[in-house]
Amino acid sequence: MNELPEHVRRNREQWDQWASEYVAAAESNWAQAAPTWGIWGVPESDVAMLSENIDGKDAIELGCGTAYVSAWMARRGARVVGIDNSAAQLATARRMQRQYHLDFPLLHGNAEAVPYPDGSFDFAISEYGACLWADPQHWVVEAARLLRPGGQLVFLTNSYLLTLCVPDDDGLPATNELRRPAFGMYRTEWPTDSAVEFHLSHGDWIGLLRRCGFEIEALVELRPPATATTRYPFVTLEWARQWPCEEVWKVRRR
Ligand SMILES: C[S@@+](CC[C@H](N)C(=O)[O-])C[C@H]1O[C@@H](n2cnc3c(N)ncnc32)[C@H](O)[C@@H]1O
């Protein structure tokens, strides 16, 4: 554990503590027949995170948490691997696997250094996983290494705009003011917990993804569905109806 980068060690401790708060969501997401995404449950038909035909393909979820996204991919016929930094999150994932008789490898590790050879996967995905909590200079390089040429990487994270507008104060939602500089945005720590997040401007994402060998296919800005609710305090429905609070990047390995 001492060999882990400092942000990975801190995020491991924090996510082992938070894991119990994610059990109920795991149970309902594993039970879902059709995927929904992000904090508002945006339907797959609106965002097409899994538009690739992954039947019979090799897929990896980077920061799989309780692995419901991996389960959705396995049910679509993919040969799935999930990797997560938190043993407690993976304990929930393994319990869900037993309950649903769905077996696929779940690795306890850092998505910045995945123990698989180059070109092992056709598809990689992260929903608020490595794409938020791992260092992009490392996990994007690693995703590019793991994917075969033509393979797709899809990830969903907080929007750039939301990160600019969220106050530091405990539990307060995004405002309609810019609260922090855009230039230099990268590693982000909030005063309310010990985790480390990574947020990039759109220009920085595009630059990094292209340097790592990806072509950008789409940047999808998510809108809450009509009946949306969320348990997360960092944004209101009123805000999210006016501005994107979540964004999905779809990129393809050259
Ligand atoms: C919000 S969960 C994402 C899983 C699921 N999609 C969800 O929304 O609940 C975030 C997960 O990212 C994992 N994580 C954080 N840093 C990681 C890293 N460097 N490598 C792998 N997983 C990581 C955490 O352990 C946690 O389980």
Side-chain angles (χ1 to χ4, degrees):
M1 176 137 165
N2 287 336
E3 292 160 20
L4 291 172
E6 177 253 5
H7 64 281
V8 178
R9 182 177 47 73
R10 281 172 56 175
N11 285 342
R12 178 169 290 188
E13 285 167 7
Q14 185 64 79
W15 272 101
D16 281 342
Q17 283 176 33
W18 279 336
S20 60
E21 299 168 27
Y22 284 75
V23 171
E27 288 169 349
S28 71
N29 284 319
W30 270 77
Q32 279 182 202
T36 58
W37 300 99
I39 67 165
W40 304 107
V42 178
E44 170 65 7
S45 53
D46 285 6
V47 59
M49 295 278 289
L50 298 179
S51 64
E52 290 282 280
N53 179 4
I54 52 174
D55 189 6
K57 301 280 179 62
D58 296 301
I60 185 164
E61 184 178 4
L62 301 167
C64 63
T66 58
Y68 55 84
V69 173
S70 292
W72 296 336
M73 294 196 293
R75 289 174 190 150
R76 289 173 178 234
R79 280 185 299 275
V80 176
V81 174
I83 182 166
D84 199 275
N85 191 29
S86 162
Q89 286 275 81
L90 290 174
T92 304
R94 293 199 173 99
R95 184 167 65 76
M96 293 289 104
Q97 282 189 316
R98 289 193 294 277
Q99 185 175 327
Y100 286 90
H101 308 290
L102 209 50
D103 196 24
F104 47 81
L106 288 170
L107 310 183
H108 184 216
N110 174 12
E112 299 169 4
V114 179
Y116 271 78
D118 297 0
S120 294
F121 298 94
D122 305 294
F123 185 73
I125 192 165
S126 177
E127 184 207 30
Y128 284 122
C131 61
L132 176 58
W133 310 95
D135 186 334
Q137 310 259 19
H138 297 293
W139 82 260
V140 176
V141 171
E142 190 65 343
R145 184 187 70 76
L146 291 166
L147 282 170
R148 300 179 178 123
Q152 194 186 38
L153 165 67
V154 176
F155 60 95
L156 185 162
T157 191
N158 301 123
S159 76
Y160 173 38
L161 188 58
L162 178 89
T163 307
L164 292 174
C165 296
V166 174
D168 280 341
D169 318 50
D170 188 12
L172 292 179
T175 66
N176 54 7
E177 291 172 4
L178 301 173
R179 296 298 186 116
R180 58 187 49 78
F183 295 126
M185 183 187 283
Y186 195 74
R187 177 180 164 127
T188 308
E189 294 174 42
W190 306 102
T192 47
D193 58 56
S194 60
V196 180
E197 301 177 2
F198 293 87
H199 298 278
L200 274 64
S201 71
H202 287 167
D204 285 349
W205 271 128
I206 290 168
L208 175 63
L209 288 161
R210 287 189 58 79
R211 279 196 302 282
C212 291
F214 289 106
E215 292 298 335
I216 317 293
E217 294 193 319
L219 171 57
V220 184
E221 297 171 319
L222 297 196
R223 299 180 76 162
T227 56
T229 56
T230 189
R231 68 187 176 106
Y232 295 94
F234 59 79
V235 65
T236 64
L237 185 58
E238 184 190 11
W239 197 101
R241 287 214 192 288
Q242 298 177 80
W243 301 288
C245 74
E246 299 177 304
E247 60 193 37
V248 171
W249 290 85
K250 299 181 185 182
V251 302
R252 195 169 296 278
R253 185 80 171 89
R254 282 193 285 269

Coordinates of all heavy atoms in Angstrom, one line a residue, residues 124-202:
A124 N -13.1 0.2 -23.4 CA -12.9 0.6 -22.0 C -13.9 1.6 -21.6 O -14.3 2.5 -22.4 CB -11.4 1.1 -21.8
I125 N -14.3 1.6 -20.3 CA -15.4 2.5 -19.8 C -15.1 2.9 -18.4 O -14.5 2.1 -17.6 CB -16.8 1.8 -20.0 CG1 -17.9 2.8 -19.8 CG2 -16.9 0.6 -19.0 CD1 -19.2 2.3 -20.3
S126 N -15.5 4.1 -18.1 CA -15.4 4.5 -16.7 C -16.6 5.5 -16.4 O -16.7 6.5 -17.1 CB -14.1 5.2 -16.4 OG -14.0 5.7 -15.1
E127 N -17.4 5.2 -15.4 CA -18.4 6.1 -15.0 C -18.1 6.6 -13.6 O -18.2 5.9 -12.7 CB -19.8 5.4 -15.0 CG -21.0 6.3 -14.7 CD -22.1 5.6 -14.0 OE1 -21.9 4.6 -13.3 OE2 -23.3 6.0 -14.2
Y128 N -17.6 7.9 -13.6 CA -17.2 8.4 -12.3 C -16.2 7.6 -11.6 O -16.1 7.5 -10.3 CB -18.4 8.7 -11.3 CG -19.3 9.8 -11.7 CD1 -20.6 9.7 -11.9 CD2 -18.8 11.1 -11.7 CE1 -21.5 10.8 -12.2 CE2 -19.6 12.2 -11.9 CZ -20.9 12.0 -12.2 OH -21.7 13.1 -12.4
G129 N -15.4 6.8 -12.3 CA -14.4 5.9 -11.7 C -13.0 6.5 -11.9 O -12.8 7.6 -11.4
A130 N -12.1 5.8 -12.6 CA -10.8 6.3 -12.8 C -10.8 7.6 -13.4 O -9.9 8.5 -13.1 CB -10.0 5.3 -13.6
C131 N -11.8 7.9 -14.2 CA -11.8 9.2 -15.0 C -12.0 10.4 -14.0 O -11.7 11.5 -14.4 CB -12.9 9.2 -16.0 SG -14.6 8.9 -15.3
L132 N -12.4 10.2 -12.8 CA -12.5 11.2 -11.8 C -11.5 11.2 -10.8 O -11.0 12.2 -10.3 CB -13.9 11.2 -11.2 CG -14.2 12.2 -10.1 CD1 -14.1 13.6 -10.6 CD2 -15.7 12.0 -9.6
W133 N -11.1 10.0 -10.3 CA -10.3 9.8 -9.1 C -8.8 9.4 -9.4 O -8.0 9.4 -8.5 CB -10.9 8.7 -8.2 CG -12.3 8.9 -8.0 CD1 -13.4 8.4 -8.6 CD2 -12.9 9.8 -7.0 NE1 -14.6 8.8 -8.1 CE2 -14.3 9.7 -7.1 CE3 -12.4 10.6 -6.0 CZ2 -15.2 10.4 -6.3 CZ3 -13.3 11.3 -5.2 CH2 -14.7 11.2 -5.3
A134 N -8.5 9.0 -10.7 CA -7.1 8.7 -11.0 C -6.5 9.8 -11.8 O -7.2 10.7 -12.4 CB -7.1 7.4 -11.8
D135 N -5.2 9.8 -11.8 CA -4.5 10.9 -12.5 C -4.5 10.7 -14.0 O -4.0 9.7 -14.5 CB -3.0 10.9 -12.0 CG -2.2 12.1 -12.5 OD1 -2.6 12.6 -13.6 OD2 -1.2 12.5 -11.9
P136 N -5.1 11.7 -14.7 CA -5.3 11.5 -16.2 C -4.0 11.3 -16.9 O -4.0 10.6 -17.9 CB -6.0 12.8 -16.6 CG -6.7 13.3 -15.4 CD -5.8 12.9 -14.2
Q137 N -2.9 11.9 -16.4 CA -1.6 11.7 -17.1 C -1.2 10.2 -17.1 O -0.4 9.7 -17.8 CB -0.5 12.5 -16.4 CG -0.8 13.9 -16.2 CD -0.1 14.8 -17.2 OE1 0.2 14.3 -18.3 NE2 -0.1 16.1 -16.9
H138 N -1.8 9.4 -16.1 CA -1.4 8.0 -16.0 C -2.6 7.1 -16.5 O -2.3 6.2 -17.2 CB -1.1 7.7 -14.5 CG 0.1 8.4 -14.1 ND1 1.4 8.2 -14.6 CD2 0.3 9.4 -13.2 CE1 2.3 9.0 -14.0 NE2 1.6 9.8 -13.2
W139 N -3.8 7.4 -16.1 CA -4.9 6.4 -16.5 C -5.2 6.5 -17.9 O -5.5 5.5 -18.6 CB -6.1 6.5 -15.6 CG -7.1 7.6 -15.9 CD1 -7.2 8.8 -15.3 CD2 -8.1 7.6 -16.9 NE1 -8.2 9.5 -15.9 CE2 -8.8 8.8 -16.9 CE3 -8.5 6.6 -17.9 CZ2 -9.8 9.1 -17.8 CZ3 -9.5 6.9 -18.8 CH2 -10.2 8.1 -18.7
V140 N -5.1 7.7 -18.6 CA -5.4 7.8 -20.0 C -4.3 7.1 -20.8 O -4.6 6.4 -21.8 CB -5.6 9.3 -20.4 CG1 -5.8 9.3 -22.0 CG2 -6.8 9.9 -19.7
V141 N -3.0 7.3 -20.4 CA -1.9 6.5 -21.0 C -2.2 5.0 -20.9 O -2.0 4.3 -21.9 CB -0.6 6.9 -20.3 CG1 0.5 6.0 -20.8 CG2 -0.3 8.4 -20.6
E142 N -2.6 4.6 -19.7 CA -2.9 3.2 -19.5 C -4.0 2.7 -20.3 O -4.0 1.6 -20.9 CB -3.1 3.0 -18.0 CG -3.1 1.6 -17.5 CD -1.8 0.8 -17.6 OE1 -0.9 1.3 -18.4 OE2 -1.7 -0.2 -17.1
A143 N -5.1 3.5 -20.4 CA -6.2 3.0 -21.3 C -5.8 2.9 -22.7 O -6.2 1.9 -23.4 CB -7.4 4.1 -21.1
A144 N -5.0 3.8 -23.2 CA -4.5 3.7 -24.6 C -3.6 2.5 -24.8 O -3.7 1.8 -25.8 CB -3.7 5.0 -24.9
R145 N -2.8 2.2 -23.8 CA -2.0 1.0 -23.8 C -2.8 -0.3 -23.9 O -2.6 -1.3 -24.6 CB -1.0 0.9 -22.6 CG 0.0 -0.3 -22.7 CD 0.7 -0.4 -21.4 NE 0.0 -0.8 -20.2 CZ -0.4 -2.1 -20.0 NH1 -0.1 -3.0 -20.9 NH2 -1.1 -2.4 -18.9
L146 N -3.9 -0.3 -23.1 CA -4.7 -1.5 -22.9 C -5.6 -1.8 -24.2 O -6.0 -2.9 -24.4 CB -5.6 -1.4 -21.7 CG -4.9 -1.5 -20.3 CD1 -5.8 -1.0 -19.2 CD2 -4.4 -2.9 -20.1
L147 N -5.9 -0.7 -24.9 CA -6.9 -0.9 -26.0 C -6.2 -1.3 -27.3 O -5.1 -0.8 -27.6 CB -7.6 0.4 -26.2 CG -8.8 0.7 -25.3 CD1 -9.3 2.2 -25.5 CD2 -9.9 -0.3 -25.5
R148 N -6.8 -2.1 -28.1 CA -6.3 -2.4 -29.4 C -6.6 -1.3 -30.3 O -7.6 -0.5 -30.1 CB -7.1 -3.7 -29.9 CG -6.9 -4.9 -29.0 CD -7.6 -6.1 -29.4 NE -7.3 -7.2 -28.5 CZ -8.1 -7.9 -27.8 NH1 -9.4 -7.7 -28.0 NH2 -7.7 -8.8 -26.9
P149 N -5.9 -1.1 -31.4 CA -6.2 -0.1 -32.4 C -7.7 -0.2 -32.8 O -8.1 -1.3 -33.1 CB -5.2 -0.4 -33.5 CG -4.1 -1.1 -32.9 CD -4.7 -1.9 -31.8
G150 N -8.3 1.0 -32.8 CA -9.8 1.0 -33.2 C -10.7 0.8 -32.0 O -11.9 0.9 -32.1
G151 N -10.1 0.5 -30.8 CA -10.9 0.3 -29.6 C -11.4 1.6 -29.1 O -10.8 2.7 -29.3
Q152 N -12.6 1.5 -28.4 CA -13.2 2.8 -27.9 C -13.1 2.9 -26.4 O -13.2 1.9 -25.7 CB -14.7 2.8 -28.3 CG -15.3 4.2 -28.1 CD -16.8 4.2 -28.3 OE1 -17.5 3.2 -28.0 NE2 -17.3 5.2 -29.0
L153 N -12.8 4.1 -26.0 CA -12.8 4.5 -24.6 C -14.0 5.5 -24.4 O -14.1 6.5 -25.1 CB -11.5 5.2 -24.2 CG -11.5 6.0 -22.8 CD1 -11.7 5.0 -21.6 CD2 -10.2 6.8 -22.7
V154 N -14.8 5.2 -23.4 CA -16.0 6.1 -23.1 C -15.9 6.4 -21.6 O -15.8 5.5 -20.8 CB -17.3 5.4 -23.4 CG1 -18.5 6.2 -23.0 CG2 -17.4 5.0 -24.9
F155 N -16.0 7.7 -21.2 CA -16.0 8.0 -19.8 C -17.0 9.1 -19.5 O -17.2 10.0 -20.3 CB -14.6 8.2 -19.2 CG -13.8 9.3 -19.8 CD1 -13.9 10.6 -19.2 CD2 -13.0 9.2 -20.9 CE1 -13.1 11.6 -19.7 CE2 -12.3 10.2 -21.4 CZ -12.3 11.4 -20.8
L156 N -17.6 9.0 -18.3 CA -18.6 10.0 -17.8 C -18.0 10.6 -16.5 O -17.7 9.8 -15.6 CB -19.9 9.3 -17.5 CG -21.1 10.1 -17.1 CD1 -22.4 9.2 -17.4 CD2 -21.1 10.6 -15.7
T157 N -18.0 11.9 -16.4 CA -17.5 12.6 -15.2 C -18.2 13.9 -15.0 O -19.1 14.3 -15.8 CB -16.0 12.7 -15.3 OG1 -15.5 13.1 -14.0 CG2 -15.5 13.7 -16.4
N158 N -17.9 14.6 -13.9 CA -18.4 15.9 -13.7 C -18.1 16.8 -14.9 O -17.0 16.7 -15.4 CB -17.9 16.5 -12.4 CG -18.1 15.7 -11.2 OD1 -17.2 15.3 -10.5 ND2 -19.4 15.5 -10.9
S159 N -19.0 17.7 -15.2 CA -18.6 18.6 -16.3 C -17.6 19.6 -15.9 O -17.5 20.0 -14.7 CB -19.9 19.3 -16.9 OG -20.2 20.3 -16.0
Y160 N -16.9 20.1 -16.8 CA -15.9 21.2 -16.6 C -16.7 22.4 -16.0 O -16.2 23.0 -15.0 CB -15.4 21.6 -18.0 CG -14.5 22.8 -18.1 CD1 -13.6 23.1 -17.2 CD2 -14.5 23.5 -19.3 CE1 -12.7 24.2 -17.3 CE2 -13.7 24.6 -19.5 CZ -12.8 24.9 -18.5 OH -12.0 26.0 -18.7
L161 N -17.8 22.7 -16.5 CA -18.6 23.9 -16.1 C -19.0 23.7 -14.6 O -18.9 24.6 -13.8 CB -19.8 24.1 -16.9 CG -20.6 25.4 -16.7 CD1 -19.8 26.6 -16.9 CD2 -21.8 25.4 -17.7
L162 N -19.5 22.5 -14.3 CA -19.9 22.3 -12.9 C -18.7 22.5 -11.9 O -18.9 23.2 -10.9 CB -20.4 20.8 -12.7 CG -20.8 20.5 -11.3 CD1 -22.2 20.9 -11.0 CD2 -20.5 19.1 -10.9
T163 N -17.5 22.0 -12.3 CA -16.4 22.1 -11.4 C -16.0 23.6 -11.2 O -15.6 24.0 -10.1 CB -15.2 21.4 -12.0 OG1 -15.6 20.0 -12.3 CG2 -14.0 21.3 -11.1
L164 N -16.2 24.4 -12.2 CA -16.0 25.9 -12.0 C -16.9 26.5 -11.1 O -16.6 27.5 -10.4 CB -16.1 26.6 -13.4 CG -15.0 26.2 -14.4 CD1 -15.3 26.9 -15.8 CD2 -13.6 26.7 -13.9
C165 N -18.1 25.9 -10.9 CA -19.2 26.6 -10.2 C -19.6 26.1 -8.9 O -20.4 26.6 -8.2 CB -20.5 26.6 -11.1 SG -20.3 27.5 -12.6
V166 N -18.9 25.0 -8.5 CA -19.2 24.4 -7.1 C -18.4 25.1 -6.1 O -17.2 25.3 -6.2 CB -18.8 22.9 -7.1 CG1 -19.0 22.3 -5.8 CG2 -19.7 22.1 -8.1
P167 N -19.1 25.6 -5.0 CA -18.4 26.2 -3.9 C -17.6 25.2 -3.1 O -17.9 24.0 -3.1 CB -19.5 26.8 -3.0 CG -20.8 26.4 -3.6 CD -20.6 25.5 -4.8
D168 N -16.6 25.7 -2.4 CA -15.8 24.8 -1.5 C -16.6 24.4 -0.3 O -16.3 23.3 0.3 CB -14.6 25.5 -1.0 CG -13.5 25.5 -2.0 OD1 -13.5 24.7 -2.9 OD2 -12.6 26.4 -1.9
D169 N -17.6 25.1 0.1 CA -18.3 24.9 1.4 C -19.1 23.6 1.4 O -19.6 23.1 0.4 CB -19.4 26.0 1.6 CG -18.9 27.4 1.3 OD1 -18.4 27.5 0.2 OD2 -19.0 28.3 2.1
D170 N -19.1 23.0 2.6 CA -19.7 21.7 2.7 C -21.1 21.5 2.2 O -22.0 22.2 2.7 CB -19.6 21.3 4.2 CG -20.0 19.9 4.5 OD1 -20.1 19.1 3.5 OD2 -20.2 19.6 5.7
G171 N -21.3 20.6 1.3 CA -22.6 20.2 0.9 C -23.4 21.3 0.0 O -24.6 21.0 -0.3
L172 N -22.8 22.4 -0.3 CA -23.5 23.4 -1.1 C -23.5 23.1 -2.6 O -22.5 22.7 -3.1 CB -23.0 24.8 -0.8 CG -23.2 25.3 0.6 CD1 -22.6 26.7 0.8 CD2 -24.7 25.3 1.0
P173 N -24.6 23.3 -3.2 CA -24.7 23.0 -4.7 C -24.0 24.0 -5.5 O -23.7 25.2 -5.1 CB -26.2 22.9 -5.0 CG -26.8 23.8 -4.0 CD -25.9 23.7 -2.7
A174 N -23.8 23.7 -6.8 CA -23.2 24.6 -7.8 C -24.0 25.9 -7.8 O -25.2 25.9 -7.8 CB -23.2 23.9 -9.1
T175 N -23.3 27.0 -8.0 CA -24.0 28.3 -8.1 C -23.9 28.7 -9.6 O -23.3 28.0 -10.4 CB -23.2 29.3 -7.3 OG1 -21.9 29.5 -7.8 CG2 -23.1 28.9 -5.8
N176 N -24.4 29.9 -9.9 CA -24.3 30.4 -11.3 C -23.2 31.4 -11.3 O -23.2 32.4 -12.1 CB -25.6 30.9 -11.9 CG -26.3 31.9 -11.0 OD1 -25.7 32.3 -10.0 ND2 -27.5 32.2 -11.4
E177 N -22.2 31.2 -10.5 CA -20.9 32.1 -10.5 C -19.7 31.2 -10.7 O -19.7 30.0 -10.2 CB -20.7 32.8 -9.2 CG -21.7 33.9 -8.9 CD -21.6 34.4 -7.5 OE1 -20.7 34.0 -6.8 OE2 -22.4 35.3 -7.1
L178 N -18.7 31.7 -11.4 CA -17.5 31.0 -11.5 C -16.7 31.1 -10.2 O -16.3 32.2 -9.8 CB -16.7 31.5 -12.7 CG -17.4 31.4 -14.1 CD1 -16.6 32.2 -15.1 CD2 -17.7 30.0 -14.5
R179 N -16.4 29.9 -9.6 CA -15.9 30.0 -8.2 C -14.4 29.7 -8.2 O -13.7 29.8 -7.1 CB -16.5 28.9 -7.4 CG -18.0 29.1 -7.1 CD -18.2 30.4 -6.4 NE -19.5 30.6 -6.0 CZ -20.0 30.7 -4.7 NH1 -19.1 30.5 -3.7 NH2 -21.2 30.9 -4.5
R180 N -13.8 29.3 -9.3 CA -12.4 29.0 -9.3 C -11.8 29.1 -10.7 O -12.6 29.1 -11.7 CB -12.1 27.6 -8.8 CG -12.7 26.4 -9.5 CD -12.5 25.1 -8.8 NE -12.9 25.2 -7.4 CZ -14.1 25.2 -6.9 NH1 -15.1 25.0 -7.8 NH2 -14.3 25.3 -5.7
P181 N -10.5 29.3 -10.8 CA -9.9 29.5 -12.1 C -10.0 28.3 -13.0 O -9.9 27.2 -12.5 CB -8.4 29.8 -11.8 CG -8.3 30.1 -10.4 CD -9.5 29.4 -9.7
A182 N -10.2 28.6 -14.3 CA -10.2 27.5 -15.3 C -8.8 27.1 -15.6 O -8.5 25.9 -15.7 CB -10.9 27.9 -16.5
F183 N -7.9 28.1 -15.8 CA -6.5 27.8 -16.1 C -5.8 27.1 -15.0 O -5.9 27.6 -13.8 CB -5.8 29.0 -16.6 CG -6.4 29.7 -17.8 CD1 -6.8 31.0 -17.8 CD2 -6.6 28.9 -19.0 CE1 -7.3 31.5 -19.0 CE2 -7.1 29.4 -20.1 CZ -7.5 30.8 -20.1
G184 N -5.2 26.0 -15.3 CA -4.4 25.3 -14.3 C -5.3 24.3 -13.5 O -4.8 23.6 -12.6
M185 N -6.5 24.1 -13.9 CA -7.4 23.1 -13.2 C -6.8 21.7 -13.5 O -6.5 21.3 -14.6 CB -8.8 23.2 -13.8 CG -9.8 22.3 -13.1 SD -11.4 22.3 -14.0 CE -12.0 23.9 -13.4
Y186 N -6.7 21.0 -12.4 CA -6.2 19.6 -12.6 C -6.5 18.8 -11.3 O -7.7 18.4 -11.1 CB -4.7 19.5 -12.9 CG -4.2 18.2 -13.4 CD1 -4.5 17.8 -14.7 CD2 -3.5 17.3 -12.6 CE1 -4.1 16.6 -15.2 CE2 -3.1 16.1 -13.1 CZ -3.4 15.7 -14.4 OH -2.9 14.5 -14.8
R187 N -5.6 18.6 -10.4 CA -5.8 18.0 -9.2 C -6.7 18.8 -8.3 O -6.4 20.0 -8.1 CB -4.5 17.7 -8.5 CG -4.6 17.0 -7.1 CD -3.2 16.8 -6.5 NE -3.3 16.5 -5.1 CZ -2.8 15.5 -4.5 NH1 -2.1 14.6 -5.1 NH2 -3.0 15.3 -3.2
T188 N -7.7 18.2 -7.7 CA -8.7 19.0 -6.9 C -9.0 18.3 -5.6 O -9.2 17.1 -5.6 CB -10.0 19.2 -7.7 OG1 -9.7 19.7 -9.0 CG2 -11.0 20.1 -7.0
E189 N -8.9 19.1 -4.5 CA -9.2 18.5 -3.2 C -10.3 19.4 -2.6 O -10.2 20.7 -2.7 CB -8.0 18.5 -2.3 CG -6.9 17.6 -2.8 CD -5.7 17.7 -2.0 OE1 -5.8 17.8 -0.7 OE2 -4.6 17.7 -2.6
W190 N -11.3 18.8 -2.0 CA -12.3 19.6 -1.3 C -12.1 19.5 0.2 O -11.6 18.5 0.7 CB -13.7 19.0 -1.6 CG -14.0 18.8 -3.1 CD1 -13.9 17.7 -3.9 CD2 -14.3 19.9 -4.0 NE1 -14.1 18.0 -5.2 CE2 -14.4 19.3 -5.3 CE3 -14.5 21.3 -3.9 CZ2 -14.7 20.1 -6.4 CZ3 -14.8 22.0 -5.0 CH2 -14.9 21.4 -6.3
P191 N -12.5 20.6 0.9 CA -12.2 20.6 2.4 C -13.0 19.6 3.2 O -12.6 19.3 4.3 CB -12.5 22.0 2.8 CG -13.4 22.6 1.7 CD -13.1 21.8 0.5
T192 N -14.0 19.0 2.6 CA -14.9 18.2 3.3 C -14.6 16.7 3.4 O -15.2 15.9 4.1 CB -16.3 18.3 2.6 OG1 -16.1 18.1 1.2 CG2 -16.9 19.6 2.9
D193 N -13.6 16.2 2.6 CA -13.2 14.8 2.7 C -11.7 14.7 2.3 O -11.1 15.7 2.0 CB -14.0 13.9 1.8 CG -14.0 14.4 0.3 OD1 -12.9 14.4 -0.2 OD2 -15.1 14.6 -0.2
S194 N -11.2 13.5 2.4 CA -9.7 13.4 2.2 C -9.4 12.8 0.8 O -8.3 12.4 0.5 CB -9.1 12.5 3.2 OG -9.7 11.2 3.2
A195 N -10.4 12.8 -0.1 CA -10.2 12.2 -1.4 C -9.5 13.3 -2.3 O -9.5 14.4 -2.1 CB -11.5 11.8 -2.0
V196 N -9.0 12.8 -3.4 CA -8.3 13.6 -4.5 C -9.0 13.3 -5.8 O -9.2 12.2 -6.2 CB -6.8 13.3 -4.6 CG1 -6.2 14.2 -5.7 CG2 -6.1 13.4 -3.3
E197 N -9.5 14.4 -6.4 CA -10.2 14.3 -7.7 C -9.3 14.9 -8.8 O -8.4 15.7 -8.5 CB -11.6 15.0 -7.7 CG -12.5 14.4 -6.7 CD -13.8 15.2 -6.6 OE1 -14.0 16.1 -7.4 OE2 -14.7 14.8 -5.8
F198 N -9.7 14.7 -10.0 CA -8.9 15.3 -11.2 C -10.0 15.9 -12.1 O -10.9 15.1 -12.6 CB -8.0 14.3 -11.9 CG -6.9 13.9 -11.0 CD1 -7.0 12.8 -10.1 CD2 -5.7 14.6 -11.0 CE1 -6.0 12.4 -9.2 CE2 -4.6 14.2 -10.1 CZ -4.8 13.1 -9.2
H199 N -9.9 17.2 -12.4 CA -10.8 17.8 -13.3 C -10.0 18.6 -14.3 O -9.0 19.3 -13.9 CB -11.7 18.8 -12.5 CG -12.6 18.1 -11.5 ND1 -13.8 17.5 -11.9 CD2 -12.4 17.9 -10.2 CE1 -14.3 17.0 -10.8 NE2 -13.5 17.2 -9.8
L200 N -10.3 18.5 -15.6 CA -9.6 19.1 -16.6 C -10.5 20.0 -17.4 O -11.7 19.7 -17.6 CB -9.0 18.1 -17.6 CG -7.6 17.5 -17.2 CD1 -7.7 16.7 -15.9 CD2 -7.1 16.6 -18.4
S201 N -9.9 21.1 -18.0 CA -10.7 21.9 -19.0 C -10.9 21.0 -20.3 O -10.1 20.1 -20.5 CB -9.9 23.2 -19.3 OG -8.8 22.8 -20.1
H202 N -11.8 21.5 -21.1 CA -12.0 20.7 -22.3 C -10.8 20.7 -23.2 O -10.4 19.7 -23.8 CB -13.2 21.3 -23.1 CG -14.5 21.0 -22.4 ND1 -15.7 21.6 -22.8 CD2 -14.8 20.1 -21.5 CE1 -16.7 21.1 -22.0 NE2 -16.1 20.2 -21.2

